[in-house]
Amino acid sequence: MNENKVVIIGGGLAGLTAAIHLRKLDIPVILIEKNSYPKHKVCGEYISNEVLPYFQWLNIAVEDLKPTHINKLQFSTISGKTINTDLPLGGFGVSRYALDYFLFQRATADGCEMIQESVENINFTDDVFTVTTSKETIIKSKIVLGAFGKRSNIDIQLNRNFIQKKSPWLAIKAHYEGNFPDDVVGLYNFNGGYCGVSKVENNRINICYLASYETFKKHKDSAVYQREVIEQNLHLKHIFQNTQLLFDKPLTISQISFEQKQPVENHILMIGDTAGLIHPLCGNGMAMAIHSAKIAAEVINNFSKEKIKSRATLEQIYTQQWNKNFKNRLRTGRLLANILLKPKLSNIAFRIVMIAPFLLPMIIKKTHGKPITISA
Ligand SMILES: Cc1cc2nc3c(=O)[nH]c(=O)nc-3n(C[C@H](O)[C@H](O)[C@H](O)COP(=O)(O)OP(=O)(O)OC[C@H]3O[C@@H](n4cnc5c(N)ncnc54)[C@H](O)[C@@H]3O)c2cc1C
């Protein structure tokens, strides 16, 4: 086996984007993804336009997926008080079902070797990784990218800090048909969580909420929780009463952790949620996943061309760049979530923003980056 192939573990947005970028640089890549495509994922499916120049450079024609174009935010508190504002940069709505599959097809066409297996073990000895899958496929490589998402069996194998703690968050998502404006992303607060609503391709409405386990566990199931907690916000009540579910049942994930993670662990460069998950209310996790893939692909390219001389320097540069681009966004996301989830604080914050509406775009900017440009 050629050890010069970069091994990417996980084929979500981060892993697939890194694969496409590395193939553009003619670097051989193996991507290991445990699931098949296409597949629905729990996600708000609103992507910041900051990815567009980078997608253009990678020749990823996202317009082919017929996304919606979103440039307005509607925000409401539990009591239904509402603010409408323009989004400074805007974004687009596309389902993960369509987008991940599109990128998978593109990475395959570009010559990325795909393995559909689950990685069970990563060992680093004598400057070489040995990656072992559930089917006992063994791959040796000089470089491994960790793109295995917010929570994986590999986090346990690596004994990462965040995985030791129970997380109080779960999330539920489904697609619906009904009426909702194409150009708006709604963010609606309820007791114990918040819900994002926006349109994706094919006129579908994506409704995705994050809820605290504490409030959820008191109710029998998600239908009762929706009726008794979420629909206390009258905006959400109106939306749910005027839409029809298009899935057999909503998708649920639990144990979502927003704890700090490290961008490099056991010499693996972590990208996307594997390096850190921003609170979904910021609507920036996907752009960050894509951006971190770019940073990793660039440093790997410099390492392979020996512009970066050692593994220690590679890891140091990647960590610096990751922190520079994302650390403050994650911090702001945690702060905003803390305010939003405390009714008294969120009411005070709402009143301040009503008096000074120019503050809202400023806050949004703090959780987002600038359009991703190409340095090489
Ligand atoms: C409720 C919620 C709403 C959100 N809404 C938005 C939003 O509106 N806008 C936004 O920008 N961001 C949003 N996000 C964040 C966004 O979903 C993530 O940041 C994004 O999916 C990160 O992509 P990723 O590639 O890092 O991870 P993922 O897309 O999760 O991909 C990880 C992949 O790794 C694979 N994998 C895991 N373990 C293994 C293994 N052992 N072997 C092989 N493969 C493995 C998985 O199958 C998966 O395909 C939201 C997040 C949540 C929780």
Side-chain angles (χ1 to χ4, degrees):
M1 180 69 68
N2 180 354
E3 286 176 11
N4 291 326
K5 288 191 176 178
V6 173
V7 173
I8 302 174
I9 301 169
L13 291 183
L16 289 165
T17 307
I20 294 167
H21 191 148
L22 290 166
R23 289 305 302 131
K24 186 178 163 89
L25 301 170
D26 226 13
I27 294 173
V29 182
I30 300 178
L31 188 147
I32 312 172
E33 164 58 48
K34 64 181 179 180
N35 289 317
S36 60
Y37 302 88
K39 196 175 189 305
H40 284 291
K41 276 187 174 169
V42 175
C43 181
E45 303 185 328
Y46 162 83
I47 310 188
S48 163
N49 277 341
E50 66 202 66
V51 303
L52 290 181
Y54 180 45
F55 270 9
Q56 204 176 3
W57 183 78
L58 290 173
N59 214 4
I60 294 170
V62 81
E63 278 300 315
D64 289 358
L65 297 173
K66 309 249 177 323
T68 52
H69 298 103
I70 298 170
N71 50 30
K72 295 184 180 74
L73 169 75
Q74 178 171 68
F75 169 74
S76 98
T77 58
I78 302 175
S79 62
K81 286 182 208 144
T82 308
I83 302 177
N84 294 291
T85 185
D86 288 342
L87 288 165
L89 197 57
F92 56 95
V94 67
S95 69
R96 297 296 299 274
Y97 187 86
L99 182 60
D100 289 32
Y101 186 41
F102 187 67
L103 298 180
F104 163 74
Q105 288 173 310
R106 178 53 202 286
T108 309
D110 288 356
C112 169
E113 189 182 330
M114 297 287 179
I115 299 179
Q116 195 204 318
E117 286 172 32
S118 172
V119 170
E120 297 293 304
N121 194 57
I122 309 169
N123 182 279
F124 183 78
T125 318
D126 296 336
D127 209 36
V128 172
F129 292 96
T130 306
V131 176
T132 311
T133 73
S134 50
K135 292 188 186 157
E136 306 221 334
T137 306
I138 295 174
I139 302 164
K140 291 197 179 286
S141 172
K142 286 261 182 208
I143 300 283
V144 167
L145 282 183
F148 37 84
K150 47 186 108 25
R151 194 176 191 89
S152 165
N153 57 327
I154 308 170
D155 294 311
I156 300 168
Q157 192 243 316
L158 293 174
N159 206 16
R160 298 182 81 191
N161 278 343
F162 82 93
I163 207 89
Q164 320 296 335
K165 300 181 196 162
K166 276 207 156 190
S167 163
W169 299 106
L170 60 97
I172 298 191
K173 157 279 184 47
H175 285 173
Y176 296 78
E177 67 180 353
N179 285 326
F180 193 80
D182 278 10
D183 57 352
V184 172
V185 57
L187 180 64
Y188 306 110
N189 204 189
F190 58 84
N191 183 22
Y194 51 86
C195 180
V197 183
S198 56
K199 275 248 189 97
V200 293
E201 75 281 0
N202 295 332
N203 219 15
R204 286 173 163 230
I205 302 167
N206 183 42
I207 304 185
C208 180
Y209 62 83
L210 186 83
S212 71
Y213 184 67
E214 190 60 31
T215 55
F216 192 84
K217 71 179 182 198
K218 296 177 192 143
H219 301 272
K220 212 171 75 208
D221 56 35
S222 62
V224 179
Y225 185 69
Q226 181 182 312
R227 218 173 39 243
E228 292 185 1
V229 179
I230 297 178
E231 292 186 9
Q232 294 306 308
N233 181 323
L234 294 180
H235 281 283
L236 289 168
K237 184 172 184 171
H238 180 79
I239 290 168
F240 278 115
Q241 284 185 345
N242 289 285
T243 50
Q244 286 81 46
L245 181 66
L246 292 171
F247 288 2
D248 290 341
K249 58 177 184 92
L251 304 176
T252 306
I253 52 170
S254 59
Q255 293 287 330
I256 304 164
S257 170
F258 301 102
E259 294 282 323
Q260 221 175 324
K261 300 177 183 176
Q262 297 303 319
V264 179
E265 271 187 65
N266 195 30
H267 306 285
I268 304 165
L269 306 187
M270 307 297 191
I271 56 177
D273 289 355
T274 318
L277 175 62
I278 191 165
H279 252 278
L281 72 93
C282 304
N284 203 239
M286 289 192 274
M288 284 174 50
I290 290 163
H291 192 170
S292 63
K294 171 189 174 275
I295 297 170
E298 284 174 348
V299 293
I300 290 169
N301 187 38
N302 286 337
F303 186 59
S304 71
K305 288 186 176 147
E306 295 180 8
K307 287 186 192 164
I308 294 176
K309 304 278 183 221
S310 69
R311 184 180 292 283
T313 313
L314 170 78
E315 293 176 9
Q316 191 191 7
I317 293 175
Y318 181 68
T319 304
Q320 273 169 357
Q321 297 222 14
W322 196 94
N323 286 335
K324 186 174 135 212
N325 281 286
F326 307 123
K327 213 173 176 176
N328 281 342
R329 286 191 226 180
L330 287 172
R331 204 175 285 149
T332 311
R334 268 185 224 115
L335 181 73
L336 289 176
N338 273 335
I339 295 173
L340 198 65
L341 294 165
K342 296 198 177 83
K344 266 191 190 156
L345 266 183
S346 94
N347 272 327
I348 295 169
F350 187 89
R351 264 186 254 135
I352 294 171
V353 175
M354 284 299 271
I355 296 163
F358 61 89
L359 285 176
L360 199 54
M362 283 168 73
I363 296 167
I364 296 168
K365 275 191 186 163
K366 280 249 167 222
T367 61
H368 283 64
K370 296 199 171 72
I372 305 167
T373 50
I374 310 303
S375 48

